[in-house]
Amino acid sequence: MLRYLLVLSFVLWTGTPSFGDEPPRGQEVLTNASIWVAGQESDNIVRFDLSSGESTVIARLSNGSRPRALAANGTGQVFVGLLGNQKNVVKLVPSRPQFPSSPLVAVDVTPTISRFGPGSMAFDRNGILHIAGNSERRVLRYNVETGAALEPLLTGRQVNILGLAIHDESVFVAEYFQKIVMRIDTAASPVHSAMLLHDEELLNRPYGMTFGHSDNLFVSSLLDDRVVEVNPQTGEVVGVFMDVKTIGARGVNDLNYSRELGHYFLTSGDTVYEIAGNGSLIARFTSPALSSAWSTLVFVSPPASTAPAAAPVSELPIVPAPDASPAITPLPVIPMPVNESIILPDEEDEPVEAERTGPQAQRRAFDAKISLQLIRKMSGRPDVSQTQ
């Protein structure tokens, strides 16, 4: 099943996003650098230009999709985990691959995942997508090239899994309600899982996890204001990396580290914060189009699923996406006024029974009968309804 997405390309906010004491990142890496952010309550994916702070709606999903998780594979294809509607994972692709400027569509990658939708997602070095299964209580794995579902990873515990990060041959998962982080060693035979953190007082609904500048595991919590640094081998808590209250945030939705830039990107409320390796603030990113910022992707160069230029609304083609999508040539974003944006529905609703048999339908039938009588009278033909 396809859910259509209209690509909306328009500048929403422009400013100088650098704040704090840390110097901005070097301009030589910012020519094409951007952040993609999932807007859970705004049902969209928003792109921020790292050099100018301009924001662009890359894709607007159907109402109630509630995108939460983002992941990109080695070829730059972007995958989105949905908390609402189908509660599954979709891939963003052009509706007509031969025309890279055609609107993006969301193509289903997985069936529904748990009662609440998927948690965090990440690709391993072999290009296999790993998904925190939430209330399914396991790590789901998919070959996104073939669509095949692979054998899931089990933790040996019947608890909800939302946070997920991958480092070398190990998969790290956060058990949401139990304040637990576990490590799954996929290179072991059989696959082995072990508890890394248990009932840690510094964790309160752990979700965001990433490997940072020190090659340690950094964990954030939805109901806590701290980011904790953990030794991924021993489980020792190295310390509190930062208290987000110092940058004006409360709670952390998600956490991501960019090795190319050497910076962290964390989300809280409707804002994306760029953080240096010493925990100091570099920049804030906000947009009127972004509500409830969650997962982020950082691209130093444009990804394959880049936003095509916006065409006039009357020229936007709507066609089903094919099964396979070749590489997409990135095109520049062209500004388009906000008031020209539209949202395409998932599909047309079938007429309800009252529309076929109700008073309006009866009125249409009566009007049609009178029109037929007038035509017959003018043509000199007898009125069959009167002679019978």
Side-chain angles (χ1 to χ4, degrees):
M1 176 182 178
L2 300 179
R3 274 172 309 287
Y4 290 108
L5 301 174
L6 172 64
V7 175
L8 307 179
S9 299
F10 50 88
V11 174
L12 294 172
W13 176 82
T14 304
T16 303
S18 296
F19 303 92
D21 299 327
E22 284 296 311
R25 8 151 180 65
Q27 291 297 317
E28 67 276 3
V29 302
L30 291 181
T31 304
N32 295 308
S34 63
I35 322 166
W36 288 31
V37 190
Q40 181 172 296
E41 297 301 327
S42 48
D43 289 327
N44 58 12
I45 310 298
V46 176
R47 174 191 180 276
F48 289 98
D49 184 278
L50 275 175
S51 59
S52 67
E54 291 181 350
S55 65
T56 305
V57 176
I58 292 296
R60 187 181 299 280
L61 287 77
S62 56
N63 291 339
S65 294
R66 303 188 69 195
R68 175 168 62 178
L70 294 177
N73 62 9
T75 61
Q77 294 177 316
V78 175
F79 297 77
V80 185
L82 306 180
L83 189 64
N85 290 348
Q86 296 298 316
K87 297 180 173 65
N88 67 339
V89 176
V90 299
K91 177 173 70 171
L92 303 184
V93 299
S95 58
R96 302 175 68 183
Q98 66 273 33
F99 298 109
S101 61
S102 60
L104 295 179
V105 294
V107 180
D108 289 328
V109 175
T110 74
T112 296
I113 297 175
S114 85
R115 292 180 299 162
F116 308 104
S120 298
M121 308 187 300
F123 282 90
D124 66 13
R125 60 179 58 179
N126 298 316
I128 301 301
L129 178 63
H130 290 61
I131 307 167
N134 205 334
S135 60
E136 290 196 15
R137 300 174 175 177
R138 54 185 178 173
V139 177
L140 307 175
R141 301 191 301 161
Y142 283 87
N143 183 326
V144 297
E145 297 299 326
T146 65
L150 307 180
E151 184 177 358
L153 301 177
L154 305 178
T155 64
R157 298 176 56 88
Q158 293 300 308
V159 290
N160 292 11
I161 300 173
L162 270 81
L164 184 145
I166 296 179
H167 186 64
D168 294 333
E169 300 294 333
S170 296
V171 178
F172 295 79
V173 296
E175 299 183 341
Y176 186 65
F177 294 107
Q178 302 299 320
K179 300 182 180 180
I180 293 174
V181 175
M182 298 193 69
R183 183 182 67 237
I184 305 174
D185 295 321
T186 59
S189 182
V191 173
H192 174 71
S193 64
M195 196 172 298
L196 194 68
L197 284 178
H198 177 54
D199 293 332
E200 176 56 52
E201 291 302 323
L202 294 175
L203 302 178
N204 191 358
R205 302 291 193 268
Y207 183 88
M209 296 202 300
T210 189
F211 277 84
H213 66 285
S214 59
D215 282 335
N216 283 332
L217 178 65
F218 290 74
V219 185
S220 64
S221 301
L222 294 177
L223 301 183
D224 194 88
D225 299 319
R226 295 165 293 188
V227 177
V228 180
E229 183 177 359
V230 180
N231 184 310
Q233 300 302 322
T234 66
E236 175 190 1
V237 177
V238 178
V240 175
F241 171 62
M242 70 175 300
D243 187 328
V244 299
K245 293 195 298 293
T246 61
I247 60 173
R250 293 303 302 268
V252 181
N253 291 345
D254 207 354
L255 180 67
N256 187 20
Y257 178 70
S258 169
R259 292 195 175 276
E260 293 87 351
L261 299 177
H263 295 161
Y264 297 85
F265 293 84
L266 65 84
T267 53
S268 179
D270 301 332
T271 305
V272 183
Y273 297 86
E274 184 178 2
I275 306 298
N278 62 4
S280 60
L281 175 67
I282 293 178
R284 294 182 183 91
F285 298 88
T286 60
S287 168
L290 181 63
S291 178
S292 188
W294 278 78
S295 182
T296 62
L297 292 175
V298 182
F299 295 105
V300 175
S301 58
S305 300
T306 190
V313 171
S314 60
E315 297 179 8
L316 291 175
I318 301 298
V319 297
D323 295 333
S325 302
I328 304 163
T329 303
L331 294 181
V333 173
I334 299 178
M336 184 173 80
V338 177
N339 59 9
E340 293 186 14
S341 65
I342 62 173
I343 302 175
L344 299 179
D346 292 345
E347 55 187 18
E348 294 185 1
D349 294 327
E350 289 291 330
V352 296
E353 187 66 23
E355 294 178 350
R356 293 192 289 261
T357 61
Q360 292 184 353
Q362 295 175 2
R363 176 66 182 178
R364 289 194 296 269
F366 177 77
D367 292 343
K369 181 177 179 180
I370 294 300
S371 299
L372 179 61
Q373 291 176 353
L374 290 174
I375 293 173
R376 291 182 182 278
K377 185 174 181 180
M378 294 176 63
S379 62
R381 298 174 62 183
D383 188 344
V384 178
S385 62
Q386 295 180 356
T387 57
Q388 287 181 345

